[in-house]
Amino acid sequence: MSTINLEYESPYSGFYNVFGSQFVCFSTQPQLQSWKLEQAINADTICRGLTEFYYDTESGRGHFILPDSSLSPTGHHTLRYPLPNVVTQRTVYRWQDRVRDETHTHIATGAHGFESLCCSEMLAEMVEEAQMTTNGKVTCPLCQIIWQDCRAFEPCDFMVTGTDR
């Protein structure tokens, strides 16, 4: 998990008077993934509910609209990027004559975003999305163990070829 620095420019003042919204321009480092950047900016309380997001990966400049807002997010901001993805699942396991029913918030992985890091859904008899108030905190002990074990690796420890990531 890392952070990025965003510099919000002064919003165009006439836009709010005409449309009741703010047109906000920003600049940050180039080559970020646009959808992840939009998620990170939208998670910031100042910019929650943004629409019409645009980011140029080459220049690192972009803009968005804050509907029905008179907030002014000008200046320097530091955001978490990318945001941590979690998934809350109710999982039922059956082994011999015993049934185990668990609900945990897991670290989400995979292309679909609903697979857990610990792969708890692989051996389960039933998996369903669940609601839990954890404020994005991981409650699965196995996900935590796997995450701690993997933290020793750095990007220089990998030599993966033939992937588009």
Side-chain angles (χ1 to χ4, degrees), residues 21 82 143:
S21 301
C143 281

Side-chain angles (χ1 to χ4, degrees), residues 26-37:
F26 67 89
S27 60
T28 188
Q29 63 195 62
Q31 307 302 324
L32 299 175
Q33 290 184 340
S34 183
W35 68 274
K36 287 185 179 181
L37 179 60

Side-chain angles (χ1 to χ4, degrees), residues 118-124 127:
C118 66
C119 299
S120 64
E121 60 275 354
M122 298 298 286
L123 300 174
V127 178

Side-chain angles (χ1 to χ4, degrees), residues 30 41 71 82 98 136 148-149:
I41 294 173
L71 296 174
R98 296 183 182 157
Q148 287 173 333
D149 288 346

